[in-house]
Amino acid sequence: MSLVLQFFLYTSATIIFTVFFSFPPCPHPFNVVGVHDHQHENMITVSEDGFVQSPRFPQNYPRDVVLVWRLIAANENMQIQMTFDERFGLEEPENGLCKFDFVEIEDLSDGTIIGRWCGTKAVPGMQISKANQVRIRFRSDEYLASKPGFCLYYSLLEPDHFESSTVLPPSSLSLDTLNDAVSGFDTLEELIKYLDPERWQLDLEDLYKPTWQMLGKAFMYGRKSKVDLNLLKEEVKLYSCTPRNLSVSLREELKRTDTLYWPGCLLVKRCGGNCACCSLSCLDCQCVPVKVSKKYYEVLQLRYRSPGRRLHKSLADVALEHHEECNCVCKGKTGG
């Protein structure tokens, strides 16, 4: 048996909150109502399943709204599991960023943003808090509030259940989920142990075992000395056009969506800074590379041989573009 209640909040525009309850028990109605003043938040003690949602869900949500909820697990040793309703839709992002209408979740154990979501192309995946508190923010601007909005279901998760449900065999994870897991390890040993707990030591030995194949190019070129971070800090303060240290994602840089790498990011030199002191007789100068080289790194490469099978692990050479010299040129021209 279910009960449908409607709450009316009279502001400059009437907002209708529709709440669905199941018996037993009957959740408190404020479990689905946020607050409009972003300086305050609606505190919800989570002792049973519930949900929060955008006003009028799944109908068009109102414009110019800020709602904030703070979920606190009644048992401080429990996590909070959150799942979005499949009818998810907010204003589309701009250049891949959710700037206008969005919902975001903040983990209050360390202040990190678990995620910010918008658009209509994909329903956000399940989220699990690190500890027992999260903050949920929903914001809509004054334009284009024409999507169904969101509904976020929450429930409590026992710590033991959390560990057993998340430590899944790598072969059962999607590539993006596995990429998140791989990037969380600090050492190669921890990573190899996670990928294959039963034979990780053998895998580690095999990884560095000499073969008859030609050594990778990373062994043939000299490695850079340790970066002087103090010097880099001073260089960043300069406004000149010079090569700067920049971290790049290997999957994005190499455009390999079917492969994982560890480490997932590496430092390269790329032109940075501006040309405020450009001496050329043009209205607009830009900083461009005039000398480019490729440098090779040896990293751990992970690939699926076939769905459901163990990951293939190997050391692989990756070539990354480095900018050795930079110069200011008139905008529209290329460097020599």
Side-chain angles (χ1 to χ4, degrees), residues 232-247:
L232 288 178
K233 186 176 180 180
E234 292 303 317
E235 287 182 352
V236 171
K237 294 180 181 179
L238 300 176
Y239 293 96
S240 58
C241 175
T242 57
R244 308 288 177 87
N245 274 335
L246 179 71
S247 61

mmCIF file with all atom_site columns, all heavy atoms in Angstrom, residues 232-247:
data_model
loop_
_atom_site.group_PDB
_atom_site.id
_atom_site.type_symbol
_atom_site.label_atom_id
_atom_site.label_alt_id
_atom_site.label_comp_id
_atom_site.label_asym_id
_atom_site.label_entity_id
_atom_site.label_seq_id
_atom_site.pdbx_PDB_ins_code
_atom_site.Cartn_x
_atom_site.Cartn_y
_atom_site.Cartn_z
_atom_site.occupancy
_atom_site.B_iso_or_equiv
_atom_site.pdbx_formal_charge
_atom_site.auth_seq_id
_atom_site.auth_comp_id
_atom_site.auth_asym_id
_atom_site.auth_atom_id
_atom_site.pdbx_PDB_model_num
ATOM 1   N N   . LEU A 1 232 ? 60.564 25.278 -9.921  1.00 0.00 ? 232 LEU A N   1
ATOM 2   C CA  . LEU A 1 232 ? 59.314 25.287 -10.694 1.00 0.00 ? 232 LEU A CA  1
ATOM 3   C C   . LEU A 1 232 ? 58.335 26.317 -10.142 1.00 0.00 ? 232 LEU A C   1
ATOM 4   O O   . LEU A 1 232 ? 57.632 26.991 -10.894 1.00 0.00 ? 232 LEU A O   1
ATOM 5   C CB  . LEU A 1 232 ? 58.667 23.898 -10.657 1.00 0.00 ? 232 LEU A CB  1
ATOM 6   C CG  . LEU A 1 232 ? 59.362 22.808 -11.464 1.00 0.00 ? 232 LEU A CG  1
ATOM 7   C CD1 . LEU A 1 232 ? 58.635 21.493 -11.281 1.00 0.00 ? 232 LEU A CD1 1
ATOM 8   C CD2 . LEU A 1 232 ? 59.401 23.189 -12.930 1.00 0.00 ? 232 LEU A CD2 1
ATOM 9   N N   . LYS A 1 233 ? 58.303 26.425 -8.828  1.00 0.00 ? 233 LYS A N   1
ATOM 10  C CA  . LYS A 1 233 ? 57.396 27.394 -8.210  1.00 0.00 ? 233 LYS A CA  1
ATOM 11  C C   . LYS A 1 233 ? 57.738 28.809 -8.642  1.00 0.00 ? 233 LYS A C   1
ATOM 12  O O   . LYS A 1 233 ? 56.858 29.633 -8.890  1.00 0.00 ? 233 LYS A O   1
ATOM 13  C CB  . LYS A 1 233 ? 57.462 27.262 -6.697  1.00 0.00 ? 233 LYS A CB  1
ATOM 14  C CG  . LYS A 1 233 ? 56.448 28.127 -5.964  1.00 0.00 ? 233 LYS A CG  1
ATOM 15  C CD  . LYS A 1 233 ? 56.508 27.876 -4.464  1.00 0.00 ? 233 LYS A CD  1
ATOM 16  C CE  . LYS A 1 233 ? 55.497 28.739 -3.735  1.00 0.00 ? 233 LYS A CE  1
ATOM 17  N NZ  . LYS A 1 233 ? 55.538 28.521 -2.266  1.00 0.00 ? 233 LYS A NZ  1
ATOM 18  N N   . GLU A 1 234 ? 59.029 29.099 -8.742  1.00 0.00 ? 234 GLU A N   1
ATOM 19  C CA  . GLU A 1 234 ? 59.443 30.425 -9.176  1.00 0.00 ? 234 GLU A CA  1
ATOM 20  C C   . GLU A 1 234 ? 59.132 30.637 -10.656 1.00 0.00 ? 234 GLU A C   1
ATOM 21  O O   . GLU A 1 234 ? 58.742 31.737 -11.065 1.00 0.00 ? 234 GLU A O   1
ATOM 22  C CB  . GLU A 1 234 ? 60.954 30.600 -8.937  1.00 0.00 ? 234 GLU A CB  1
ATOM 23  C CG  . GLU A 1 234 ? 61.335 30.649 -7.465  1.00 0.00 ? 234 GLU A CG  1
ATOM 24  C CD  . GLU A 1 234 ? 60.622 31.758 -6.714  1.00 0.00 ? 234 GLU A CD  1
ATOM 25  O OE1 . GLU A 1 234 ? 60.538 32.876 -7.259  1.00 0.00 ? 234 GLU A OE1 1
ATOM 26  O OE2 . GLU A 1 234 ? 60.155 31.506 -5.595  1.00 0.00 ? 234 GLU A OE2 1
ATOM 27  N N   . GLU A 1 235 ? 59.288 29.589 -11.458 1.00 0.00 ? 235 GLU A N   1
ATOM 28  C CA  . GLU A 1 235 ? 59.000 29.720 -12.884 1.00 0.00 ? 235 GLU A CA  1
ATOM 29  C C   . GLU A 1 235 ? 57.521 30.002 -13.138 1.00 0.00 ? 235 GLU A C   1
ATOM 30  O O   . GLU A 1 235 ? 57.171 30.760 -14.040 1.00 0.00 ? 235 GLU A O   1
ATOM 31  C CB  . GLU A 1 235 ? 59.419 28.445 -13.623 1.00 0.00 ? 235 GLU A CB  1
ATOM 32  C CG  . GLU A 1 235 ? 60.915 28.279 -13.777 1.00 0.00 ? 235 GLU A CG  1
ATOM 33  C CD  . GLU A 1 235 ? 61.261 27.031 -14.558 1.00 0.00 ? 235 GLU A CD  1
ATOM 34  O OE1 . GLU A 1 235 ? 60.335 26.237 -14.832 1.00 0.00 ? 235 GLU A OE1 1
ATOM 35  O OE2 . GLU A 1 235 ? 62.441 26.854 -14.905 1.00 0.00 ? 235 GLU A OE2 1
ATOM 36  N N   . VAL A 1 236 ? 56.666 29.369 -12.341 1.00 0.00 ? 236 VAL A N   1
ATOM 37  C CA  . VAL A 1 236 ? 55.232 29.573 -12.523 1.00 0.00 ? 236 VAL A CA  1
ATOM 38  C C   . VAL A 1 236 ? 54.856 31.029 -12.296 1.00 0.00 ? 236 VAL A C   1
ATOM 39  O O   . VAL A 1 236 ? 53.918 31.549 -12.903 1.00 0.00 ? 236 VAL A O   1
ATOM 40  C CB  . VAL A 1 236 ? 54.432 28.646 -11.569 1.00 0.00 ? 236 VAL A CB  1
ATOM 41  C CG1 . VAL A 1 236 ? 52.958 28.992 -11.566 1.00 0.00 ? 236 VAL A CG1 1
ATOM 42  C CG2 . VAL A 1 236 ? 54.617 27.198 -11.982 1.00 0.00 ? 236 VAL A CG2 1
ATOM 43  N N   . LYS A 1 237 ? 55.616 31.701 -11.417 1.00 0.00 ? 237 LYS A N   1
ATOM 44  C CA  . LYS A 1 237 ? 55.322 33.103 -11.139 1.00 0.00 ? 237 LYS A CA  1
ATOM 45  C C   . LYS A 1 237 ? 55.667 34.005 -12.319 1.00 0.00 ? 237 LYS A C   1
ATOM 46  O O   . LYS A 1 237 ? 55.174 35.126 -12.414 1.00 0.00 ? 237 LYS A O   1
ATOM 47  C CB  . LYS A 1 237 ? 56.096 33.563 -9.902  1.00 0.00 ? 237 LYS A CB  1
ATOM 48  C CG  . LYS A 1 237 ? 55.650 32.863 -8.604  1.00 0.00 ? 237 LYS A CG  1
ATOM 49  C CD  . LYS A 1 237 ? 56.463 33.361 -7.427  1.00 0.00 ? 237 LYS A CD  1
ATOM 50  C CE  . LYS A 1 237 ? 56.052 32.669 -6.134  1.00 0.00 ? 237 LYS A CE  1
ATOM 51  N NZ  . LYS A 1 237 ? 56.859 33.137 -4.984  1.00 0.00 ? 237 LYS A NZ  1
ATOM 52  N N   . LEU A 1 238 ? 56.528 33.545 -13.167 1.00 0.00 ? 238 LEU A N   1
ATOM 53  C CA  . LEU A 1 238 ? 56.923 34.361 -14.317 1.00 0.00 ? 238 LEU A CA  1
ATOM 54  C C   . LEU A 1 238 ? 55.816 34.376 -15.357 1.00 0.00 ? 238 LEU A C   1
ATOM 55  O O   . LEU A 1 238 ? 55.065 33.414 -15.512 1.00 0.00 ? 238 LEU A O   1
ATOM 56  C CB  . LEU A 1 238 ? 58.215 33.811 -14.929 1.00 0.00 ? 238 LEU A CB  1
ATOM 57  C CG  . LEU A 1 238 ? 59.438 33.781 -14.017 1.00 0.00 ? 238 LEU A CG  1
ATOM 58  C CD1 . LEU A 1 238 ? 60.601 33.133 -14.742 1.00 0.00 ? 238 LEU A CD1 1
ATOM 59  C CD2 . LEU A 1 238 ? 59.806 35.183 -13.548 1.00 0.00 ? 238 LEU A CD2 1
ATOM 60  N N   . TYR A 1 239 ? 55.718 35.452 -16.081 1.00 0.00 ? 239 TYR A N   1
ATOM 61  C CA  . TYR A 1 239 ? 54.692 35.585 -17.110 1.00 0.00 ? 239 TYR A CA  1
ATOM 62  C C   . TYR A 1 239 ? 55.269 35.409 -18.515 1.00 0.00 ? 239 TYR A C   1
ATOM 63  O O   . TYR A 1 239 ? 54.649 35.766 -19.492 1.00 0.00 ? 239 TYR A O   1
ATOM 64  C CB  . TYR A 1 239 ? 54.002 36.951 -16.994 1.00 0.00 ? 239 TYR A CB  1
ATOM 65  C CG  . TYR A 1 239 ? 53.189 37.079 -15.737 1.00 0.00 ? 239 TYR A CG  1
ATOM 66  C CD1 . TYR A 1 239 ? 53.714 37.685 -14.604 1.00 0.00 ? 239 TYR A CD1 1
ATOM 67  C CD2 . TYR A 1 239 ? 51.893 36.585 -15.680 1.00 0.00 ? 239 TYR A CD2 1
ATOM 68  C CE1 . TYR A 1 239 ? 52.972 37.803 -13.444 1.00 0.00 ? 239 TYR A CE1 1
ATOM 69  C CE2 . TYR A 1 239 ? 51.148 36.686 -14.528 1.00 0.00 ? 239 TYR A CE2 1
ATOM 70  C CZ  . TYR A 1 239 ? 51.690 37.296 -13.407 1.00 0.00 ? 239 TYR A CZ  1
ATOM 71  O OH  . TYR A 1 239 ? 50.952 37.394 -12.257 1.00 0.00 ? 239 TYR A OH  1
ATOM 72  N N   . SER A 1 240 ? 56.476 34.865 -18.570 1.00 0.00 ? 240 SER A N   1
ATOM 73  C CA  . SER A 1 240 ? 57.096 34.678 -19.877 1.00 0.00 ? 240 SER A CA  1
ATOM 74  C C   . SER A 1 240 ? 56.625 33.378 -20.500 1.00 0.00 ? 240 SER A C   1
ATOM 75  O O   . SER A 1 240 ? 56.008 32.536 -19.858 1.00 0.00 ? 240 SER A O   1
ATOM 76  C CB  . SER A 1 240 ? 58.619 34.683 -19.739 1.00 0.00 ? 240 SER A CB  1
ATOM 77  O OG  . SER A 1 240 ? 59.023 33.661 -18.853 1.00 0.00 ? 240 SER A OG  1
ATOM 78  N N   . CYS A 1 241 ? 56.953 33.228 -21.763 1.00 0.00 ? 241 CYS A N   1
ATOM 79  C CA  . CYS A 1 241 ? 56.568 32.038 -22.533 1.00 0.00 ? 241 CYS A CA  1
ATOM 80  C C   . CYS A 1 241 ? 57.695 31.017 -22.442 1.00 0.00 ? 241 CYS A C   1
ATOM 81  O O   . CYS A 1 241 ? 58.722 31.147 -23.107 1.00 0.00 ? 241 CYS A O   1
ATOM 82  C CB  . CYS A 1 241 ? 56.300 32.455 -23.986 1.00 0.00 ? 241 CYS A CB  1
ATOM 83  S SG  . CYS A 1 241 ? 55.942 31.091 -25.098 1.00 0.00 ? 241 CYS A SG  1
ATOM 84  N N   . THR A 1 242 ? 57.525 30.002 -21.604 1.00 0.00 ? 242 THR A N   1
ATOM 85  C CA  . THR A 1 242 ? 58.566 29.006 -21.379 1.00 0.00 ? 242 THR A CA  1
ATOM 86  C C   . THR A 1 242 ? 57.936 27.623 -21.234 1.00 0.00 ? 242 THR A C   1
ATOM 87  O O   . THR A 1 242 ? 56.746 27.506 -20.931 1.00 0.00 ? 242 THR A O   1
ATOM 88  C CB  . THR A 1 242 ? 59.359 29.318 -20.093 1.00 0.00 ? 242 THR A CB  1
ATOM 89  O OG1 . THR A 1 242 ? 58.437 29.384 -18.993 1.00 0.00 ? 242 THR A OG1 1
ATOM 90  C CG2 . THR A 1 242 ? 60.104 30.631 -20.208 1.00 0.00 ? 242 THR A CG2 1
ATOM 91  N N   . PRO A 1 243 ? 58.708 26.549 -21.433 1.00 0.00 ? 243 PRO A N   1
ATOM 92  C CA  . PRO A 1 243 ? 58.185 25.207 -21.160 1.00 0.00 ? 243 PRO A CA  1
ATOM 93  C C   . PRO A 1 243 ? 57.909 25.043 -19.666 1.00 0.00 ? 243 PRO A C   1
ATOM 94  O O   . PRO A 1 243 ? 58.719 25.449 -18.830 1.00 0.00 ? 243 PRO A O   1
ATOM 95  C CB  . PRO A 1 243 ? 59.322 24.283 -21.612 1.00 0.00 ? 243 PRO A CB  1
ATOM 96  C CG  . PRO A 1 243 ? 60.159 25.110 -22.541 1.00 0.00 ? 243 PRO A CG  1
ATOM 97  C CD  . PRO A 1 243 ? 60.062 26.506 -22.017 1.00 0.00 ? 243 PRO A CD  1
ATOM 98  N N   . ARG A 1 244 ? 56.755 24.480 -19.349 1.00 0.00 ? 244 ARG A N   1
ATOM 99  C CA  . ARG A 1 244 ? 56.350 24.276 -17.964 1.00 0.00 ? 244 ARG A CA  1
ATOM 100 C C   . ARG A 1 244 ? 56.004 22.813 -17.735 1.00 0.00 ? 244 ARG A C   1
ATOM 101 O O   . ARG A 1 244 ? 55.584 22.111 -18.634 1.00 0.00 ? 244 ARG A O   1
ATOM 102 C CB  . ARG A 1 244 ? 55.120 25.127 -17.628 1.00 0.00 ? 244 ARG A CB  1
ATOM 103 C CG  . ARG A 1 244 ? 55.247 26.606 -17.963 1.00 0.00 ? 244 ARG A CG  1
ATOM 104 C CD  . ARG A 1 244 ? 56.181 27.321 -17.012 1.00 0.00 ? 244 ARG A CD  1
ATOM 105 N NE  . ARG A 1 244 ? 56.359 28.709 -17.368 1.00 0.00 ? 244 ARG A NE  1
ATOM 106 C CZ  . ARG A 1 244 ? 55.559 29.694 -16.953 1.00 0.00 ? 244 ARG A CZ  1
ATOM 107 N NH1 . ARG A 1 244 ? 54.508 29.425 -16.225 1.00 0.00 ? 244 ARG A NH1 1
ATOM 108 N NH2 . ARG A 1 244 ? 55.805 30.944 -17.308 1.00 0.00 ? 244 ARG A NH2 1
ATOM 109 N N   . ASN A 1 245 ? 56.150 22.368 -16.493 1.00 0.00 ? 245 ASN A N   1
ATOM 110 C CA  . ASN A 1 245 ? 55.722 21.026 -16.135 1.00 0.00 ? 245 ASN A CA  1
ATOM 111 C C   . ASN A 1 245 ? 54.201 20.937 -16.155 1.00 0.00 ? 245 ASN A C   1
ATOM 112 O O   . ASN A 1 245 ? 53.504 21.813 -15.619 1.00 0.00 ? 245 ASN A O   1
ATOM 113 C CB  . ASN A 1 245 ? 56.225 20.650 -14.742 1.00 0.00 ? 245 ASN A CB  1
ATOM 114 C CG  . ASN A 1 245 ? 57.620 20.073 -14.781 1.00 0.00 ? 245 ASN A CG  1
ATOM 115 O OD1 . ASN A 1 245 ? 58.039 19.529 -15.794 1.00 0.00 ? 245 ASN A OD1 1
ATOM 116 N ND2 . ASN A 1 245 ? 58.355 20.216 -13.691 1.00 0.00 ? 245 ASN A ND2 1
ATOM 117 N N   . LEU A 1 246 ? 53.690 19.898 -16.769 1.00 0.00 ? 246 LEU A N   1
ATOM 118 C CA  . LEU A 1 246 ? 52.245 19.693 -16.856 1.00 0.00 ? 246 LEU A CA  1
ATOM 119 C C   . LEU A 1 246 ? 51.968 18.201 -16.734 1.00 0.00 ? 246 LEU A C   1
ATOM 120 O O   . LEU A 1 246 ? 52.620 17.375 -17.367 1.00 0.00 ? 246 LEU A O   1
ATOM 121 C CB  . LEU A 1 246 ? 51.715 20.213 -18.200 1.00 0.00 ? 246 LEU A CB  1
ATOM 122 C CG  . LEU A 1 246 ? 50.220 20.039 -18.448 1.00 0.00 ? 246 LEU A CG  1
ATOM 123 C CD1 . LEU A 1 246 ? 49.412 20.977 -17.552 1.00 0.00 ? 246 LEU A CD1 1
ATOM 124 C CD2 . LEU A 1 246 ? 49.891 20.303 -19.916 1.00 0.00 ? 246 LEU A CD2 1
ATOM 125 N N   . SER A 1 247 ? 51.022 17.844 -15.882 1.00 0.00 ? 247 SER A N   1
ATOM 126 C CA  . SER A 1 247 ? 50.638 16.432 -15.771 1.00 0.00 ? 247 SER A CA  1
ATOM 127 C C   . SER A 1 247 ? 49.573 16.115 -16.810 1.00 0.00 ? 247 SER A C   1
ATOM 128 O O   . SER A 1 247 ? 48.634 16.881 -16.994 1.00 0.00 ? 247 SER A O   1
ATOM 129 C CB  . SER A 1 247 ? 50.118 16.123 -14.368 1.00 0.00 ? 247 SER A CB  1
ATOM 130 O OG  . SER A 1 247 ? 48.973 16.899 -14.082 1.00 0.00 ? 247 SER A OG  1
#
